[in-house]
Amino acid sequence: MRNKLLELERLSAALDPNGEERKNLRDQVVEHTEEFIEDIYKTKAYHTHKSAPRIKATELGKELQDIEDIVKYLSAELDEDGINPASGGHLGYIPGGGIYASSLADYWAAISNRYAGVYFANPGAVRIENKLIRWVSNLIGYPATAHGNLTSGGSIANLIGIVSARHGMQIKSRDIENSVIYVSKQSHASISKSIQVAGLAEAHIRFVAMDDQYRMDPNLLEKQVIEDKKKGLNPFLIAASAGTTDLGAVDPMASLAKICKEHNLWLHVDAAYGGFFILTDEGRTKFRGIELSDSLAIDPHKGMFLPYGLGICIVRDKKIMLEAFTFDASYLQDIKVANEEINPMDVSPEMTKHFRGLRMWLPLALYGIEPFKNALDEKLLLAKYFYSEVQKIPGFVVGPAPQLSVVTFRYVPEDASKSDEFNKRILDEVHKDGRVFFSSTSLEGKFTLRLAILSFRTHLKTIDLTLLVLNEKIELINQESVSKPSIS
Ligand SMILES: *Cc1c(COP(=O)(O)O)cnc(C)c1O
């Protein structure tokens, strides 16, 4: 048996490379990633999809490849296909980030493989994660009773918020049919998904009427709550947005909080996109009342420019979170050591996870909050700048003035009935060009172009380039329609 064990050890030694082997791997990967960053302001924000892989992959796990070939394969497969979220020219959906310090934190966290799920396993890692949660909680203005959890993103953060609401409002299975949840047509898809996953889909889901800025109308909402109560229903949850994905609309949180207090409802705020604008004076003013909510989702991989993989849920009353997510097991008897910290696994559906706090902690430790605040102020101002400049291009009309950093606009051609067709064509041409990337939405039934500014690499010259690209494409399409009667 001893000989067999030694043989197996030798045969699996590749999994634990020595210093020289590690250096070779690391040098190849770092050389590629350095080139990637050095070129990032020159590379395209979007490549139209390649239909087939450009380098034939070897059969996974059977044919061995060396690191040089792997870097070539991955670069060909990943770097010139689809959206480039690391580019400042990414102005679609909600743009990605990817600040460098976070990548090193991820590397470090993965190499040391610290277990941040329970205090017993690594007190320091849990202290770091809980400190981040307290920092965000204070930023929002929550009391000391609040606590939270670091998640993979905003969707899971919303799920934790909705589950906490269900638990905190003591909604049992038999109550669901009789219960009411208030959302808006602007609510993110992950709110509906959370309602479904939390087993609440059979509740009455009311879409609250919105004002002309696409914010929930608190007066109509309150009327609806009163009406629902009269009908014998049980209104228990309002899911509001501090910055909708579609338009950046900010629901009137102070008024909503007042309604929740008056009628005993839970206020969940989806601040996944907009939350970190609270670092700016403008954002803080717009988010007034957010501190009165019962739970909140916020995405550092959006507003703190981190690489994908970090959302946060904070719940005003940590007791509710703990009750909803703490479970015990015999094999966990040793972890019950006296400590001041809450175990992350006791406030989350997850147990083992990447030590994801380090990727947010390291950049904050290195740079402080000022550069983040200034970058966010820059994004708010860039949105205002684009909003005013795009109106100077003849033919463009705009949607509502940007409340945060999303701008909607569309071109009205001479034959206004061709508007949808024309704007689809603009989007198509912009995508083929690829220097910048943005997406579209449907506003009042009309195909509408939509710019979202949130990358830390998006600057004045990016927006000027976007305006230039728009001018070029309009000219191109108009010229075509002169020579051909139809624009399609
Ligand atoms: C992005 C977003 C989400 C979902 O967050 P993920 O991190 O993509 O899971 C939820 N709500 C809003 C408003 C968002 O913008």
Side-chain angles (χ1 to χ4, degrees):
M1 199 189 287
R2 291 178 60 87
N3 282 341
K4 183 70 187 163
L5 285 169
L6 291 170
E7 190 194 353
L8 291 171
E9 178 181 331
R10 190 174 52 76
L11 291 172
S12 58
L15 300 181
D16 198 7
N18 65 28
E20 201 182 319
E21 290 161 337
R22 289 197 304 275
K23 182 172 182 333
N24 181 40
L25 292 174
R26 187 174 62 237
D27 285 353
Q28 296 287 334
V29 171
V30 168
E31 192 184 323
H32 171 72
T33 52
E34 275 303 303
E35 227 171 81
F36 180 87
I37 300 179
E38 284 299 318
D39 289 347
I40 194 68
Y41 284 99
K42 289 182 280 176
T43 40
K44 286 189 174 188
Y46 185 73
H47 289 88
T48 44
H49 290 179
K50 317 279 182 285
S51 51
R54 267 144 345 128
I55 295 182
K56 195 179 154 286
T58 52
E59 199 180 336
L60 198 58
K62 291 207 174 143
E63 294 165 55
L64 301 187
Q65 290 170 279
D66 67 23
I67 186 67
E68 270 164 78
D69 290 341
I70 290 169
V71 168
K72 274 195 207 112
Y73 166 74
L74 284 178
S75 172
E77 195 62 357
L78 304 177
D79 290 347
E80 289 183 12
D81 210 4
I83 301 171
N84 180 2
S87 161
H90 177 20
L91 305 162
Y93 308 104
I94 300 295
I99 49 177
Y100 184 68
S102 291
S103 72
L104 296 179
D106 277 351
Y107 176 72
W108 191 334
I111 283 187
S112 61
N113 205 19
R114 291 297 168 237
Y115 194 97
V118 289
Y119 179 86
F120 173 78
N122 198 280
V126 171
R127 272 197 296 268
I128 282 176
E129 296 215 334
N130 285 352
K131 193 170 174 170
L132 276 177
I133 289 162
R134 277 193 297 276
W135 180 74
V136 176
S137 177
N138 289 337
L139 202 60
I140 299 302
Y142 275 156
T145 54
H147 191 64
N149 188 252
L150 304 186
T151 65
S152 57
S155 299
I156 301 298
N158 275 329
L159 177 66
I160 294 179
I162 302 289
V163 168
S164 299
R166 185 189 68 196
H167 200 86
M169 299 305 288
Q170 297 173 10
I171 307 295
K172 308 286 178 226
S173 305
R174 61 176 172 274
D175 307 322
I176 292 170
E177 271 186 10
N178 208 38
S179 297
V180 194
I181 300 172
Y182 303 84
V183 298
S184 92
K185 289 274 189 218
Q186 282 274 311
S187 299
H188 191 266
S190 64
I191 292 290
S192 311
K193 205 191 273 187
S194 297
I195 288 171
Q196 160 90 4
V197 176
L200 294 165
E202 277 119 45
H204 300 262
I205 313 288
R206 304 253 190 263
F207 293 95
V208 178
M210 299 179 288
D211 66 13
D212 60 355
Q213 304 284 303
Y214 297 85
R215 300 172 293 207
M216 282 185 180
D217 182 323
N219 295 324
L220 292 177
L221 169 59
E222 185 164 26
K223 266 198 197 124
Q224 178 82 59
V225 170
I226 293 168
E227 227 169 81
D228 285 334
K229 280 186 158 175
K230 262 194 209 140
K231 283 188 201 151
L233 299 175
N234 174 34
F236 81 99
L237 168 64
I238 299 176
S241 309
T244 63
T245 307
D246 211 15
L247 287 163
V250 180
D251 286 326
M253 261 113 28
S255 309
L256 298 181
K258 202 163 150 240
I259 296 170
C260 285
K261 190 155 189 220
E262 175 88 24
H263 300 281
N264 187 33
L265 273 77
W266 181 286
L267 180 59
H268 174 75
V269 176
D270 179 359
Y273 150 59
F276 282 104
F277 283 111
I278 203 164
L279 285 169
T280 69
D281 292 342
E282 190 180 332
R284 178 156 291 284
T285 309
K286 289 198 163 126
F287 292 171
R288 203 175 52 80
I290 198 169
E291 71 283 359
L292 302 170
S293 61
D294 297 290
S295 57
L296 170 130
I298 187 167
D299 257 354
H301 68 197
K302 289 177 178 166
M304 292 274 294
F305 319 116
L306 265 51
Y308 294 138
L310 193 65
I312 304 179
C313 177
I314 305 201
V315 176
R316 182 181 199 82
D317 180 354
K318 62 183 163 211
K319 271 207 323 277
I320 293 170
M321 242 190 150
L322 282 162
E323 279 168 17
F325 292 105
T326 306
F327 288 85
D328 213 349
S330 49
Y331 48 82
L332 291 175
Q333 62 188 8
D334 307 334
I335 70 165
K336 290 189 182 46
V337 293
N339 73 82
E340 301 283 289
E341 300 292 344
I342 287 176
N343 289 323
M345 75 169 194
D346 289 339
V347 285
S348 167
E350 290 182 280
M351 189 166 178
T352 304
K353 56 187 179 184
H354 181 69
F355 172 26
R356 44 174 81 115
L358 203 54
R359 64 208 325 271
M360 178 164 167
W361 185 89
L362 184 62
L364 276 172
L366 285 170
Y367 313 132
I369 60 165
E370 281 305 307
F372 291 97
K373 178 177 175 308
N374 289 321
L376 289 163
D377 264 323
E378 181 196 21
K379 306 314 152 200
L380 293 171
L381 199 54
L382 284 172
K384 292 189 178 81
Y385 174 73
F386 178 79
Y387 183 74
S388 98
E389 290 301 308
V390 75
Q391 294 180 64
K392 294 181 189 162
I393 306 176
F396 274 113
V397 295
V398 288
Q403 291 171 55
L404 296 172
S405 67
V406 178
V407 182
T408 51
F409 58 106
R410 68 192 173 83
Y411 191 81
V412 185
E414 241 156 71
D415 179 356
S417 73
K418 294 230 160 90
S419 168
D420 282 7
E421 208 181 325
F422 200 102
N423 284 285
K424 270 182 207 151
R425 183 67 208 287
I426 295 175
L427 195 65
D428 218 34
E429 288 298 333
V430 170
H431 288 179
K432 266 195 256 169
D433 180 291
R435 282 175 288 172
V436 297
F437 173 84
F438 54 81
S439 50
S440 71
T441 186
S442 173
L443 204 57
E444 308 297 330
K446 292 193 181 81
F447 189 93
T448 301
L449 304 172
R450 175 185 170 280
L451 208 72
I453 301 169
L454 201 60
S455 164
F456 67 107
R457 291 195 175 109
T458 301
H459 304 300
L460 180 59
K461 61 177 177 297
T462 328
I463 302 304
D464 282 342
L465 174 64
T466 307
L467 291 159
L468 179 87
V469 169
L470 281 171
N471 267 310
E472 280 176 18
K473 302 310 166 196
I474 295 297
E475 197 175 325
L476 175 84
I477 301 168
N478 275 329
Q479 261 170 12
E480 273 175 22
S481 59
V482 171
S483 47
K484 270 191 295 167
S486 160
I487 59 152
S488 59

